[in-house]
Amino acid sequence: KPVGMLRRVSDFSDFSRGDWLQELLCQGEEISHVQSSPDGQHLLVLQKSRPPPLPRVVALQRHSIGGADLERNWQPPQPALVGLLFLQSHVTSGSWVLAIVWEHGRTEVWHFVVAVGWQLLQTLELCQGARARIVSVCSQGSSLVWCEERPPLDAHSDMSKCAFRFCVCARALEVDEQGVRLGAVRIVLHNSPEYQVLASPQHIFLVPAAASFATTSKFLLIWHPEKGKLTITAPTAGFIHSKALHSSSESDFRKLLLGSVGLLSGLAPLDIHTSSVSNSGGLLLVSMKGTVNMVEPDGTQRHIFDLEGGALAQGIPVQLKTFGSILACVLAGVLYIIDNNSGRLIEKKILSMKEVHFLESPGEEDSIQLLTQTGIYSFNFYKPEDSSRPEPCLVEMVFEEACRYYQRRSLSSSKLTVEKLKKGGVFQAPVALAAILQHSLCQKQKPAQGLQETYAKLLSTVSLELQSYMSLELLKTCVVHAPESKVESYCEELVEQEVSRVLHSDMDKDNLAYLNSIFASFPKAAWKATRSCLQLQQNGDGLLVARATPEVWKKVLGGPQQEEVGQNGVVPLFELICTSFLRFKPKWLPNFVELTQQYISMSWTYSSKEGPEGRVPLYKRALGVLARKNKHSEADDELELELLLCSKRPKAVLQALHLLIHLKRWQRVVEVAEKFSKLSPLLNKEIFTTLLAEFAQHRELDPYVDTLWPLCPSELTASDILTVVLQHLPHSQEDPVPFCSEGNQLTVGLLKPLLQRVVQRPCIQDEMYTDALQSPIFPPPTPPREH
């Protein structure tokens, strides 16, 4: 493993007034905030202790060569300081200015000149209203974003009834050779509760203040300045809603939530102890339980780490800072060094210093800088120079997963750790797998040592899986470093490999939820992956064929069903594939359902309750997917017919027949009747009776009688036919007359061909004795006697 080393880089002697800072820290005076300048040459110290002395901010210069110092203090009830912000300056490349923002909106812009010291460039007023009060402020580039309180005009109003009296604003502050210019105020959100604003390089996070109402403290807001939109997200639900802000009326907080009130009301309140922005642009949140999560700018959440010690009290400070791919966290005198990507604990150090502050480390991305009572320290990583090789992250994950697996099945109350698992010698499976992985993954870096004979046999067994893993990791690297033109093709290949991997593993709820997210995020790539895994293609006759293995078919049909996955938006795999067909190749959907039914008939018995057909029939599941479409078209009606007919189930065929009759598509009615009457005598009788009833009511089927009459079942008699006809004759409001002018009535002449056909047909009982009656000799001759 990489080893961390703490190295002191400054004892404060290289700072102006360094003795004062060290004395302040040693006396136990609480420092509220320490911040270094972008070039690392200045240190800002904010002290908000009780008087004496007064609250103040002091700028310390490194390698001081003289000049005016910067020190500002204030005494209540004077407006307090709410922000120390470094903004970009356009005077020279890489130059910056310091903005000191006070509670009532007054902003002082300072810059530092070598050999001259700190100079006040200009004093500005951020807020437009004289009674406004800034509660939180941050900077992004050369812009300021703040949340201000706008008290009601009526001084006697109850403030608790005016909860939505806050406003989030933004304003450009440009510094160039001509001076300081303040841009127009941009209203991001008005009539809102109190928010803490936190800036990442591209986005602004709005975190509800601790005193916010319970109804409004269930979600976070993310403002995207370049796109001009606000995103609503909740750690427990993920992305909820996004809205573009085209006008000031759309910036109203209550209108923003109007379409999501029902969903938001069911969410749990936010559990936030500490929040901070990472250098990657995400929002780090520490819960009261000590869980560290990352909220990405798109609204998704990712779990990183669980701090030790259980629940956190409100007064216990937790400091967070990211340095490259490393997350550093200080809690109760313990420094946690965590891999921000994998969530793996790299190192844990117990600190002897009581008060510790994180500082920026310009030019050293993976170096952690700490300010303590005795100086500034840098925490760096180095690899030991011995012959041992660092264990791959995957090997560590094997032991961590094994810990969780065995802990769930253990009857002991003692906690199983990775160290115990490695040294115990009881559980051989993770040890064997770790040895194989380390042998395979590290052989490119250093010649691999020989494996035990048992492990060598296992290696030959899992060699194909290892190759798949290595190719997948290589593909992920290609996606990260690929130019924009090739990202799409790499993503398609990555999705195909992931879908194939999941289809060849156990289809549990977690894997099903993962597939749902893949199909939702990459629909086109998931469709191509589905076609590849099922080996779907058209043959020479234009029919769909599938050459998927029985194992894949079983995953498609036998995974968790709707009643098992719940109502959280996750759908079974069969429905997921049907949705993909419906989006990209709807004409293939009936053929796919038919292919699936053919596989079922070969793999499960018809009455098996374990098989898919023991549950909801497949054609009904496909129809359910079709019914969930937002817009219904004529093509969908045709697709519904095809799905009913492809099932070849009697009820479905009759439903399709009634639907065609309703649509008055008589040519298709006759075609369906002629095709499906051959399936079974019972279905033949139902179809013919249905069409005979239609024939009795109107004359639309008259052109097709030559096709219909041969469909008449052999067991129907003339009496049965007349009974059906009389039951379905249309009821006339007038008295019947012998000769009617209307030509739509049924006559005996129209029924005559059918009745003649039935009467002339031989009786079934006669057919039973035909063979006996046609015998050539009756009675048969007497057999010869034997003497």
Side-chain angles (χ1 to χ4, degrees), residues 518-528 580 583-584:
I518 289 178
F519 274 74
S521 304
F522 308 99
K524 189 175 180 181
W527 161 245
K528 290 185 177 179
S580 198
R583 180 170 182 174
F584 295 102

PDB file of all heavy atoms in Angstrom, residues 518-528 580 583-584:
ATOM      1  N   ILE A 518     -29.310   1.235 -16.700  1.00  0.00           N
ATOM      2  CA  ILE A 518     -28.573   1.231 -17.973  1.00  0.00           C
ATOM      3  C   ILE A 518     -29.522   1.532 -19.132  1.00  0.00           C
ATOM      4  O   ILE A 518     -29.230   2.355 -20.006  1.00  0.00           O
ATOM      5  CB  ILE A 518     -27.868  -0.127 -18.183  1.00  0.00           C
ATOM      6  CG1 ILE A 518     -26.694  -0.278 -17.219  1.00  0.00           C
ATOM      7  CG2 ILE A 518     -27.383  -0.261 -19.623  1.00  0.00           C
ATOM      8  CD1 ILE A 518     -25.983  -1.611 -17.327  1.00  0.00           C
ATOM      9  N   PHE A 519     -30.684   0.862 -19.164  1.00  0.00           N
ATOM     10  CA  PHE A 519     -31.646   1.076 -20.243  1.00  0.00           C
ATOM     11  C   PHE A 519     -32.189   2.511 -20.216  1.00  0.00           C
ATOM     12  O   PHE A 519     -32.516   3.063 -21.271  1.00  0.00           O
ATOM     13  CB  PHE A 519     -32.793   0.078 -20.119  1.00  0.00           C
ATOM     14  CG  PHE A 519     -32.523  -1.243 -20.784  1.00  0.00           C
ATOM     15  CD1 PHE A 519     -31.640  -2.161 -20.220  1.00  0.00           C
ATOM     16  CD2 PHE A 519     -33.134  -1.574 -21.974  1.00  0.00           C
ATOM     17  CE1 PHE A 519     -31.376  -3.377 -20.820  1.00  0.00           C
ATOM     18  CE2 PHE A 519     -32.881  -2.799 -22.597  1.00  0.00           C
ATOM     19  CZ  PHE A 519     -32.000  -3.699 -22.021  1.00  0.00           C
ATOM     20  N   ALA A 520     -32.303   3.094 -19.023  1.00  0.00           N
ATOM     21  CA  ALA A 520     -32.810   4.471 -18.927  1.00  0.00           C
ATOM     22  C   ALA A 520     -31.748   5.488 -19.339  1.00  0.00           C
ATOM     23  O   ALA A 520     -32.061   6.485 -19.993  1.00  0.00           O
ATOM     24  CB  ALA A 520     -33.280   4.753 -17.502  1.00  0.00           C
ATOM     25  N   SER A 521     -30.483   5.240 -18.994  1.00  0.00           N
ATOM     26  CA  SER A 521     -29.410   6.202 -19.290  1.00  0.00           C
ATOM     27  C   SER A 521     -28.880   6.067 -20.709  1.00  0.00           C
ATOM     28  O   SER A 521     -28.524   7.067 -21.333  1.00  0.00           O
ATOM     29  CB  SER A 521     -28.258   6.017 -18.286  1.00  0.00           C
ATOM     30  OG  SER A 521     -28.703   6.140 -16.972  1.00  0.00           O
ATOM     31  N   PHE A 522     -28.802   4.831 -21.224  1.00  0.00           N
ATOM     32  CA  PHE A 522     -28.246   4.602 -22.556  1.00  0.00           C
ATOM     33  C   PHE A 522     -29.219   3.741 -23.367  1.00  0.00           C
ATOM     34  O   PHE A 522     -28.940   2.559 -23.657  1.00  0.00           O
ATOM     35  CB  PHE A 522     -26.887   3.902 -22.463  1.00  0.00           C
ATOM     36  CG  PHE A 522     -25.911   4.566 -21.553  1.00  0.00           C
ATOM     37  CD1 PHE A 522     -25.720   4.098 -20.259  1.00  0.00           C
ATOM     38  CD2 PHE A 522     -25.196   5.668 -21.972  1.00  0.00           C
ATOM     39  CE1 PHE A 522     -24.825   4.707 -19.410  1.00  0.00           C
ATOM     40  CE2 PHE A 522     -24.297   6.297 -21.130  1.00  0.00           C
ATOM     41  CZ  PHE A 522     -24.109   5.815 -19.835  1.00  0.00           C
ATOM     42  N   PRO A 523     -30.391   4.281 -23.728  1.00  0.00           N
ATOM     43  CA  PRO A 523     -31.416   3.454 -24.388  1.00  0.00           C
ATOM     44  C   PRO A 523     -30.960   2.857 -25.711  1.00  0.00           C
ATOM     45  O   PRO A 523     -31.196   1.677 -25.983  1.00  0.00           O
ATOM     46  CB  PRO A 523     -32.589   4.425 -24.575  1.00  0.00           C
ATOM     47  CG  PRO A 523     -32.006   5.795 -24.448  1.00  0.00           C
ATOM     48  CD  PRO A 523     -30.840   5.666 -23.532  1.00  0.00           C
ATOM     49  N   LYS A 524     -30.280   3.642 -26.546  1.00  0.00           N
ATOM     50  CA  LYS A 524     -29.871   3.141 -27.852  1.00  0.00           C
ATOM     51  C   LYS A 524     -28.791   2.073 -27.718  1.00  0.00           C
ATOM     52  O   LYS A 524     -28.842   1.023 -28.373  1.00  0.00           O
ATOM     53  CB  LYS A 524     -29.364   4.301 -28.719  1.00  0.00           C
ATOM     54  CG  LYS A 524     -29.107   3.921 -30.161  1.00  0.00           C
ATOM     55  CD  LYS A 524     -28.727   5.142 -30.993  1.00  0.00           C
ATOM     56  CE  LYS A 524     -28.473   4.763 -32.452  1.00  0.00           C
ATOM     57  NZ  LYS A 524     -28.080   5.944 -33.251  1.00  0.00           N
ATOM     58  N   ALA A 525     -27.825   2.333 -26.863  1.00  0.00           N
ATOM     59  CA  ALA A 525     -26.755   1.352 -26.647  1.00  0.00           C
ATOM     60  C   ALA A 525     -27.309   0.082 -26.010  1.00  0.00           C
ATOM     61  O   ALA A 525     -26.879  -1.033 -26.341  1.00  0.00           O
ATOM     62  CB  ALA A 525     -25.665   1.955 -25.765  1.00  0.00           C
ATOM     63  N   ALA A 526     -28.278   0.225 -25.105  1.00  0.00           N
ATOM     64  CA  ALA A 526     -28.889  -0.948 -24.467  1.00  0.00           C
ATOM     65  C   ALA A 526     -29.675  -1.777 -25.487  1.00  0.00           C
ATOM     66  O   ALA A 526     -29.706  -3.010 -25.412  1.00  0.00           O
ATOM     67  CB  ALA A 526     -29.805  -0.503 -23.326  1.00  0.00           C
ATOM     68  N   TRP A 527     -30.317  -1.097 -26.447  1.00  0.00           N
ATOM     69  CA  TRP A 527     -31.047  -1.814 -27.501  1.00  0.00           C
ATOM     70  C   TRP A 527     -30.084  -2.640 -28.348  1.00  0.00           C
ATOM     71  O   TRP A 527     -30.340  -3.810 -28.653  1.00  0.00           O
ATOM     72  CB  TRP A 527     -31.813  -0.807 -28.354  1.00  0.00           C
ATOM     73  CG  TRP A 527     -32.238  -1.294 -29.706  1.00  0.00           C
ATOM     74  CD1 TRP A 527     -31.828  -0.836 -30.921  1.00  0.00           C
ATOM     75  CD2 TRP A 527     -33.173  -2.351 -29.988  1.00  0.00           C
ATOM     76  NE1 TRP A 527     -32.435  -1.529 -31.936  1.00  0.00           N
ATOM     77  CE2 TRP A 527     -33.276  -2.465 -31.397  1.00  0.00           C
ATOM     78  CE3 TRP A 527     -33.924  -3.207 -29.197  1.00  0.00           C
ATOM     79  CZ2 TRP A 527     -34.088  -3.391 -32.018  1.00  0.00           C
ATOM     80  CZ3 TRP A 527     -34.745  -4.138 -29.818  1.00  0.00           C
ATOM     81  CH2 TRP A 527     -34.828  -4.226 -31.207  1.00  0.00           C
ATOM     82  N   LYS A 528     -28.949  -2.050 -28.718  1.00  0.00           N
ATOM     83  CA  LYS A 528     -27.956  -2.790 -29.500  1.00  0.00           C
ATOM     84  C   LYS A 528     -27.390  -3.953 -28.692  1.00  0.00           C
ATOM     85  O   LYS A 528     -27.158  -5.047 -29.234  1.00  0.00           O
ATOM     86  CB  LYS A 528     -26.829  -1.845 -29.929  1.00  0.00           C
ATOM     87  CG  LYS A 528     -27.256  -0.818 -30.974  1.00  0.00           C
ATOM     88  CD  LYS A 528     -26.071   0.005 -31.434  1.00  0.00           C
ATOM     89  CE  LYS A 528     -26.479   0.978 -32.541  1.00  0.00           C
ATOM     90  NZ  LYS A 528     -25.338   1.802 -32.998  1.00  0.00           N
ATOM     91  N   SER A 580     -37.810  -1.538 -25.057  1.00  0.00           N
ATOM     92  CA  SER A 580     -36.759  -1.231 -26.023  1.00  0.00           C
ATOM     93  C   SER A 580     -37.219  -1.559 -27.447  1.00  0.00           C
ATOM     94  O   SER A 580     -36.980  -0.787 -28.386  1.00  0.00           O
ATOM     95  CB  SER A 580     -35.501  -2.028 -25.664  1.00  0.00           C
ATOM     96  OG  SER A 580     -34.370  -1.489 -26.277  1.00  0.00           O
ATOM     97  N   ARG A 583     -39.597   1.075 -28.677  1.00  0.00           N
ATOM     98  CA  ARG A 583     -38.972   2.365 -28.997  1.00  0.00           C
ATOM     99  C   ARG A 583     -38.195   2.325 -30.318  1.00  0.00           C
ATOM    100  O   ARG A 583     -38.242   3.271 -31.096  1.00  0.00           O
ATOM    101  CB  ARG A 583     -38.045   2.775 -27.857  1.00  0.00           C
ATOM    102  CG  ARG A 583     -37.340   4.097 -28.076  1.00  0.00           C
ATOM    103  CD  ARG A 583     -36.636   4.566 -26.832  1.00  0.00           C
ATOM    104  NE  ARG A 583     -35.991   5.859 -27.016  1.00  0.00           N
ATOM    105  CZ  ARG A 583     -35.403   6.546 -26.041  1.00  0.00           C
ATOM    106  NH1 ARG A 583     -35.396   6.061 -24.814  1.00  0.00           N
ATOM    107  NH2 ARG A 583     -34.830   7.700 -26.288  1.00  0.00           N
ATOM    108  N   PHE A 584     -37.483   1.218 -30.564  1.00  0.00           N
ATOM    109  CA  PHE A 584     -36.577   1.195 -31.707  1.00  0.00           C
ATOM    110  C   PHE A 584     -37.037   0.291 -32.855  1.00  0.00           C
ATOM    111  O   PHE A 584     -36.676   0.539 -33.999  1.00  0.00           O
ATOM    112  CB  PHE A 584     -35.183   0.748 -31.241  1.00  0.00           C
ATOM    113  CG  PHE A 584     -34.533   1.707 -30.285  1.00  0.00           C
ATOM    114  CD1 PHE A 584     -34.517   1.436 -28.923  1.00  0.00           C
ATOM    115  CD2 PHE A 584     -33.960   2.881 -30.736  1.00  0.00           C
ATOM    116  CE1 PHE A 584     -33.922   2.320 -28.029  1.00  0.00           C
ATOM    117  CE2 PHE A 584     -33.362   3.768 -29.860  1.00  0.00           C
ATOM    118  CZ  PHE A 584     -33.350   3.485 -28.498  1.00  0.00           C
TER     119      PHE A 584
END
